Amino acid sequence: MTKRLLITAPLVLAIVGMTVAQDASRSVSMKEERKKAAHHRRRIIMNNDGNDCRCERPEAAKMREVFLSRRTSPLVASHVDAIFYCTGVVNSYTHHSKETEARGHGDRFAKDWAYELGNHGPDSLAIMVDFGRKNGMEVFWSMRMNDTHDSADGALLTEWKTSHPEYLMAKKGDKLKAGGRRWSALDYGLPEVREKVFRILKDVCSRYDIDGIEMDFFRHPIYFKPQIHGEPVTQEHCDMMTGLLRRIRGMTEEIGAKRGRPLLIAARVPDSIGYDKGIGLDVEQWLKEDLVDLLVVSGYFHLTPWEESVKLGHQHGVPVYACLSESRIKGGAERERCSPEAYRARALTAWRAGVDGIYTFNAFNPKLTMWRELGDPAVLAKLDRVYFACYRAPRQAGSWLLGGERFNQLPSLSPEQPIKMAPSETREIELWAGGGRSPDETEGASARLTLNLHIDELAQPDAVSVALNGKALGDGRLSNGFVAFDVGPNCFTEGKSTVTITLNAAADKPAVLKDLFLWVRHRESSSK
């Protein structure tokens, strides 16, 4: 006689309950794995904009080798633990996809053979993922959420944008109050735009074995139409973007569960909660809802001390990375501001503020010494450095968001934003320096310090007096167009210092203070 299993309602409920409990357990386990992966060591994250192939086209058999040699292969054994690889701009990419278009067209891209990689084997993104696996580096796909290079470069304008002008912020030639002439920016207030962005991200996450995705909201920071017209972006706009992130998180969790390995989400944003909300990014809400695993802050402009961003991320268990982009301030000590010594100073200041790593943007030469320096504060403390009051002009914040400069908490002194001083006037300037102990206490008193001022209309060095942290410096001397002051070992401290500058009463006319920077030179290189 055949025995039949009697399925009762209680039994069905028990089976369903067990399944739900198992699914919940797997979900908790995957979340724990994701949190663990988020805190992997990343001394340096290198952002690569994907322009590796703008050179003479090699023969097909050597394309992969040449591609990797230009920006990637020499990074092996450096401090670079992760590469955030960007393959283009929204809907225009060098990786192959049925969801998007091939990047670039016409003579403008005659020497860009990145898309051709996929015609002869793995495409650009697949090659990067394979390289990362073989060399112990994480690879994230970086999506520039609203890159607008196509506003000026027609070769980048996609058929999708051309066919849907209603998805864009404006028309070419329109006068805009913010965002410059970025008429081609996508309007994230439209569900069709958010849907397209979601599909692009899902396509990459589904087909490539990446460690995560980066949503780069800093390139370029404009998302809703009111912003370009100088009008307020509302909480409703912020909620639209947060809704998109919730959907993306759900997608990455689902794909991560299927492949048995978490898929991380990084976001690069301006380093001010107020500024972020002003452009429609409710970053604090993202962190509260666990929608972001890595937080990268700063870019064109730097608005708050690194400590503020570290505090924000860490209180939600999210690692924070300081973005060091090239300086675009012109004039004066322009060369020094863009020098390896300046990058060292910026990185060390960020490390001392508690960041979890350094993120580089628009730095692509893999043979630079920075890749073997910036990821270790102990190494940086022994090298020459130059600290500036201001590395990036905060006025740029106002070019994207009308009145955006109001969120700046850092010094703005630079050749582009000088300070006019009258005789007998005194000014105090903050100088953020993260050298740890005084350099003279480390390595057996191995460093000497020099504070430099760039002052126009100053007849004699003795017409100005300077104190550092309340301690008067000696007489200044003219040096390469600057007034230089030797700094004693007890004047230089970690964190925020105050430089007090007085234009003496003996000065016969006003002067213009254009710059301020502090050199830390070690003895072995003090002749530089």
Side-chain angles (χ1 to χ4, degrees):
M1 176 182 284
T2 302
K3 294 183 178 179
R4 291 186 296 178
L5 179 64
L6 182 61
I7 305 297
T8 64
L11 181 58
V12 170
L13 291 175
I15 294 172
V16 170
M18 290 174 60
T19 303
V20 170
Q22 290 171 348
D23 288 344
S25 177
R26 282 193 292 268
S27 178
V28 170
S29 176
M30 184 56 66
K31 182 176 181 179
E32 291 173 348
E33 287 298 311
R34 173 164 59 79
K35 291 292 185 182
K36 182 178 178 181
H39 286 85
H40 282 173
R41 181 179 74 163
R42 301 176 188 88
R43 293 167 293 179
I44 298 178
I45 297 172
M46 178 199 188
N47 179 287
N48 185 338
D49 69 0
N51 292 327
D52 317 63
C53 301
R54 292 186 177 179
C55 63
E56 292 296 328
R57 183 180 282 97
E59 58 183 272
K62 293 185 177 180
M63 276 187 168
R64 177 188 174 111
E65 177 185 353
V66 173
F67 168 68
L68 289 172
S69 70
R70 288 179 59 77
R71 294 186 176 181
T72 309
S73 299
L75 297 175
V76 173
S78 71
H79 294 171
V80 177
D81 295 314
I83 296 174
F84 283 17
Y85 195 72
C86 171
T87 57
V89 300
V90 174
N91 214 52
S92 175
Y93 297 107
T94 63
H95 72 270
H96 287 213
S97 172
K98 294 179 180 179
E99 184 63 52
T100 58
E101 303 170 40
R103 186 183 72 180
H105 50 80
D107 294 340
R108 167 77 170 73
F109 282 83
K111 287 188 176 181
D112 188 341
W113 41 272
Y115 191 83
E116 291 185 35
L117 286 165
N119 297 334
H120 304 283
D123 64 23
S124 59
L125 183 55
I127 291 173
M128 291 301 299
V129 171
D130 179 66
F131 176 88
R133 291 287 170 272
K134 290 179 179 177
N135 292 281
M137 295 181 185
E138 287 181 310
V139 175
F140 282 49
W141 183 61
S142 178
M143 182 178 192
R144 295 180 170 186
M145 300 299 285
N146 219 355
D147 189 299
T148 56
H149 279 91
D150 52 7
S151 288
D153 188 348
L156 287 171
L157 199 62
T158 64
E159 183 180 341
W160 177 67
K161 280 191 174 183
T162 303
S163 301
H164 295 284
E166 71 275 15
Y167 295 166
L168 309 184
M169 291 284 191
K171 301 188 296 295
K172 188 173 184 178
D174 285 355
K175 292 184 178 181
L176 310 174
K177 290 188 177 181
R181 294 182 293 275
R182 312 287 182 169
W183 60 272
S184 65
L186 292 169
D187 179 6
Y188 274 74
L190 299 175
E192 294 88 350
V193 168
R194 301 196 298 276
E195 173 64 22
K196 180 64 171 178
V197 168
F198 174 81
R199 292 205 313 267
I200 292 172
L201 285 164
K202 183 178 181 180
D203 173 66
V204 171
C205 291
S206 301
R207 297 191 300 111
Y208 295 87
D209 192 28
I210 52 177
D211 295 286
I213 55 173
E214 177 194 32
M215 289 180 284
D216 186 352
F217 289 99
F218 219 126
R219 193 73 160 184
H220 292 108
I222 185 164
Y223 296 96
F224 297 98
K225 270 193 176 180
Q227 181 181 345
I228 67 169
H229 297 301
E231 299 170 359
V233 170
T234 67
Q235 184 62 46
E236 182 180 2
H237 293 107
C238 291
D239 293 343
M240 292 177 189
M241 192 66 82
T242 300
L244 175 61
L245 263 74
R246 289 192 195 107
R247 192 178 177 198
I248 292 168
R249 171 64 92 192
M251 176 268 292
T252 57
E253 294 289 77
E254 181 180 348
I255 291 175
K258 287 180 179 177
R259 72 179 191 175
R261 188 166 68 89
L263 192 56
L264 302 180
I265 296 176
R268 185 168 80 110
V269 297
D271 61 329
S272 162
I273 289 297
Y275 192 96
D276 289 333
K277 292 201 74 172
I279 63 174
L281 311 179
D282 196 345
V283 175
E284 199 163 22
Q285 186 63 31
W286 300 355
L287 294 170
K288 288 178 181 177
E289 294 190 31
D290 189 29
L291 302 180
V292 172
D293 299 301
L294 283 68
L295 187 64
V296 182
V297 291
S298 188
Y300 296 116
F301 45 84
H302 181 197
L303 299 174
T304 62
W306 297 118
E307 286 86 349
E308 294 296 319
S309 297
V310 170
K311 180 180 178 181
L312 174 66
H314 286 186
Q315 71 184 12
H316 295 284
V318 172
V320 177
Y321 297 84
C323 174
L324 305 184
S325 183
E326 82 286 7
S327 176
R328 295 182 178 181
I329 293 177
K330 302 296 182 183
E334 183 178 340
R335 183 180 64 82
E336 287 85 353
R337 197 177 251 102
C338 298
S339 67
E341 292 86 356
Y343 267 91
R344 293 169 188 162
R346 296 168 69 189
L348 189 54
T349 299
W351 278 116
R352 297 302 189 196
V355 300
D356 296 275
I358 302 300
Y359 176 111
T360 62
F361 193 85
N362 274 354
F364 305 123
N365 183 350
K367 297 180 182 179
L368 294 176
T369 59
M370 64 187 292
W371 309 118
R372 290 167 171 77
E373 296 175 350
L374 302 189
D376 189 339
V379 170
L380 293 171
K382 299 175 184 178
L383 299 173
D384 289 2
R385 306 181 298 283
V386 57
Y387 295 94
F388 280 82
C390 176
Y391 297 95
R392 300 299 304 266
R395 63 176 179 77
Q396 292 189 23
S399 68
W400 295 98
L401 174 64
L402 199 65
E405 304 95 327
R406 68 185 183 276
F407 296 103
N408 181 48
Q409 300 177 28
L410 297 173
S412 59
L413 174 64
S414 73
E416 295 182 358
Q417 293 181 266
I419 296 174
K420 189 173 182 179
M421 297 183 65
S424 301
E425 184 176 2
T426 296
R427 291 290 188 117
E428 289 189 348
I429 309 295
E430 292 179 357
L431 181 70
W432 291 83
R437 293 177 296 173
S438 164
D440 291 271
E441 297 177 27
T442 61
E443 301 301 308
S446 63
R448 67 183 181 89
L449 289 74
T450 309
L451 185 72
N452 300 266
L453 304 182
H454 180 191
I455 306 182
D456 278 358
E457 307 299 331
L458 188 69
Q460 296 294 331
D462 59 6
V464 64
S465 300
V466 177
L468 180 59
N469 293 321
K471 297 178 181 178
L473 304 184
D475 294 336
R477 63 185 184 280
L478 291 176
S479 175
N480 298 320
F482 299 92
V483 184
F485 298 84
D486 291 328
V487 176
N490 297 322
C491 296
F492 181 70
T493 58
E494 180 179 357
K496 182 176 70 173
S497 289
T498 300
V499 181
T500 305
I501 304 167
T502 301
L503 187 61
N504 298 332
D508 57 356
K509 58 183 177 179
V512 180
L513 177 63
K514 289 188 171 181
D515 222 341
L516 182 157
F517 55 100
L518 175 73
W519 267 99
V520 177
R521 288 186 172 96
H522 289 258
R523 283 181 175 176
E524 58 270 23
S525 56
S526 61
S527 61
K528 291 171 61 177

